[in-house]
């Protein structure tokens, strides 16, 4: 258990993938296509802000732009002031389209994750029922129940959902970053590298703590069920001996350790976002100052600044989602390793 690492997580996920039915695998591949579509919808919404803000600040420059001529001719626009309404509609539609596709992806992601979890839980139960009698009498019933209920839930929250979230966030991150690099290569690259390095440092610093908490969660989740069964299963003796306080103390010790480890993992996975949001605002302020000092002045600065502000608004939560998903995988590594035993043979 002490040697659980990235290779072990990948191995457990590969085993889980092989365990899935052909139908589920096809659904996951279709979800991947939806993730790619959602990514391009997001970059479309970011790109739409450039002509929209340019129309607000300098409509004449849009009228003279060769790229806008087919659009202007199609709508029979003769004056620069006539551009504002269609640009507003296009920008609004692009935002709504991106949000709709993103919500559809989240819905499909969640439904498929829990459906796969239900398949795993049923298969564990089926394999357990088909074990020989000698196997049943040699095993602790609390561990079996924990495997069927808690460990199947753990597979959803610590393996399937984080993996799908990390894949979708990584695809979206790549596409959005490519769009921002196209707009301003130096600023987009430096911002991404800066944020990326900070997240890598956080991962490095919290690695040992997450590993320890992961082992505590895997161990104490079984112990909590065990102590509950011992107390409630032998309730007659507990009442006769008046030993309620003894069982409560034993249960409290394991449950408190479990909750503390879960709380630590949650804090580690969520806390960086607030610092990153502050850094993102500082970056936007710095970009605003830099652009206003250029020869074209504020007219060029506002559209590009608006695009980067919208891009940062989307990019920072996606970076946080990648980190949070990875953190969940790391925090549940020990549970995933133990779950593999149940998924493979309900041992």
């Amino acid at each position: 258990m002490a040697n659980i690492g990235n290779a072990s997580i990948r191995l457990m996920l590969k085993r889980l993938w092989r365990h899935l039915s052909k139908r589920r695998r096809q659904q996951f591949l279709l979800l991947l296509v939806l993730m790619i579509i959602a990514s391009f919808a997001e970059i479309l919404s970011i790109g739409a802000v450039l002509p929209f803000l340019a129309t607000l600040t300098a409509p004449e420059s849009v009228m003279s732009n060769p790229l806008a001529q087919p659009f202007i001719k199609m709508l029979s626009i003769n004056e620069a002031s006539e551009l504002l309404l269609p640009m507003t509609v296009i920008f609004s539609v692009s935002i709504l389209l991106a949000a709709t596709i993103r919500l559809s992806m989240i819905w499909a992601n969640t439904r498929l994750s829990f459906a796969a979890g239900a398949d795993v839980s049923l298969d564990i139960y089926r394999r357990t029922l088909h074990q020989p009698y000698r196997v049943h009498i040699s095993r602790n019933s609390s561990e079996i129940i924990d495997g069927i209920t808690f460990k199947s839930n753990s597979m959803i929250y610590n393996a399937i959902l984080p993996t799908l979230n990390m894949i979708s966030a990584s695809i979206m991150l790549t596409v959005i970053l490519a769009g921002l690099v196209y707009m301003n290569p130096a600023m987009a690259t430096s911002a991404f590298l800066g944020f990326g390095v900070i997240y890598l440092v956080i991962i490095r610093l919290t690695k040992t703590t997450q590993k320890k908490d992961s082992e505590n969660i895997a161990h104490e989740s079984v112990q909590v069920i065990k102590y509950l069964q011992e107390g409630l299963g032998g309730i007659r003796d507990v009442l006769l001996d008046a030993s309620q306080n003894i069982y409560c103390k034993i249960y409290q010790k394991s449950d408190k350790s479990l909750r503390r480890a879960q709380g630590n993992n949650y804090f580690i996975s969520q806390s960086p976002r607030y610092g990153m949001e502050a850094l993102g605002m500082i970056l936007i302020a710095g970009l605003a100052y830099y652009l206003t000092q250029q020869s074209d002045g504020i007219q060029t600065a506002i559209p590009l600044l608006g695009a980067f502000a919208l891009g940062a608004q989307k990019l920072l939560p996606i970076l946080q989602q990648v980190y949070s998903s990875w953190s969940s995988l790391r925090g549940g590594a020990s549970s995933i390793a133990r779950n593999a035993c149940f998924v493979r043979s309900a041992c």
Side-chain angles (χ1 to χ4, degrees):
M1 195 67 63
N3 295 322
I4 290 175
N6 301 347
S8 298
I9 295 175
R10 286 194 295 269
L11 179 61
M12 298 308 113
L13 293 175
K14 286 180 181 178
R15 286 176 178 172
L16 179 61
W17 176 256
R18 289 197 297 266
H19 178 77
L20 296 174
S21 64
K22 183 179 179 181
R23 178 167 171 261
R24 289 285 180 240
R25 292 183 187 181
Q26 291 173 344
Q27 289 174 337
F28 277 115
L29 293 176
L30 289 175
L31 179 61
L32 181 62
V33 175
L34 183 58
M35 290 176 183
I36 296 172
I37 294 173
S39 301
F40 281 98
E42 291 290 347
I43 197 63
L44 176 66
S45 67
I46 295 174
V49 78
L50 279 171
F52 174 64
L53 291 179
T55 303
L56 288 175
T57 55
E60 293 80 9
S61 64
V62 178
M63 285 289 291
S64 60
N65 192 318
L67 296 176
Q69 292 307 310
F71 173 75
I72 292 172
K73 290 178 181 178
M74 182 180 67
L75 296 178
S76 301
I77 295 175
N78 299 316
E79 299 293 335
S81 59
E82 297 176 4
L83 277 172
L84 185 57
L85 178 59
M87 285 298 181
T88 303
V89 172
I90 290 173
F91 176 68
S92 301
V93 169
S94 66
I95 293 294
L96 288 174
L97 179 64
T100 302
I101 296 176
R102 184 78 181 272
L103 282 173
S104 300
M105 184 195 70
I106 294 173
W107 178 84
N109 191 343
T110 305
R111 287 292 296 270
L112 189 53
S113 297
F114 281 86
D119 293 345
V120 170
S121 179
L122 176 61
D123 196 59
I124 293 172
Y125 185 50
R126 181 184 294 113
R127 289 172 183 265
T128 302
L129 291 178
H130 283 83
Q131 295 293 318
Y133 181 70
R134 57 180 174 79
V135 175
H136 285 279
I137 62 175
S138 65
R139 294 172 60 188
N140 192 319
S141 60
S142 64
E143 189 172 346
I144 298 174
I145 295 173
D146 180 69
I148 296 174
T149 56
F150 288 95
K151 282 185 168 34
S152 59
N153 285 338
S154 178
M155 291 297 287
I156 297 172
Y157 291 106
N158 293 330
I160 302 174
L161 267 176
T163 301
L164 290 179
N165 286 336
M166 191 160 58
I167 291 172
S168 64
S170 298
I171 294 172
M172 205 163 291
L173 180 66
T174 302
V175 174
I176 291 177
L177 182 63
L180 294 179
V181 167
Y182 177 78
M183 296 177 193
N184 193 311
M187 186 62 66
T189 304
S190 60
F192 176 73
L193 289 177
F195 290 136
V197 167
I198 293 173
Y199 273 114
L200 288 175
V201 170
I202 294 173
I203 289 173
R204 192 71 178 176
L205 292 175
T206 58
K207 181 179 179 181
T208 302
T209 302
Q210 282 193 307
K211 183 178 176 181
K212 182 180 177 182
D213 289 333
S214 173
E215 293 171 0
N216 284 339
I217 291 171
H219 174 71
E220 298 299 345
S221 63
V222 176
Q223 296 300 110
V224 165
I225 296 295
K226 177 183 176 183
Y227 296 140
L228 282 173
Q229 284 194 319
E230 287 179 353
L232 297 175
I235 190 62
R236 179 176 176 275
D237 295 331
V238 171
L239 293 174
L240 290 174
D241 298 339
S243 55
Q244 292 93 334
N245 288 337
I246 295 175
Y247 280 95
C248 285
K249 287 180 180 178
I250 295 173
Y251 172 81
Q252 182 187 33
K253 182 180 179 182
S254 287
D255 188 60
K256 189 175 181 180
S257 179
L258 172 64
R259 305 302 176 185
R260 184 184 295 114
Q262 290 173 333
N264 287 343
N265 280 346
Y266 181 79
F267 175 77
I268 290 172
S269 67
Q270 298 298 319
S271 55
R273 63 178 294 185
Y274 302 102
M276 292 300 174
E277 288 174 359
L279 289 175
M281 294 303 294
I282 294 173
L283 175 67
I284 294 298
L287 178 61
Y289 175 78
Y290 170 77
L291 291 175
T292 53
Q293 300 305 307
Q294 303 305 304
S295 57
D296 293 335
I298 195 68
Q299 289 186 351
T300 303
I302 288 180
L304 189 57
L305 188 62
F308 263 84
L310 184 59
Q313 182 193 18
K314 295 179 180 292
L315 197 63
L316 287 177
I318 291 173
L319 270 171
Q320 174 62 28
Q321 188 177 33
V322 172
Y323 169 75
S324 180
S325 299
W326 175 247
S327 181
S328 295
L329 281 171
R330 290 287 307 175
S334 295
S335 296
I336 294 172
R338 292 193 180 191
N339 293 346
C341 173
F342 288 93
V343 172
R344 193 166 57 250
S345 59
C347 59

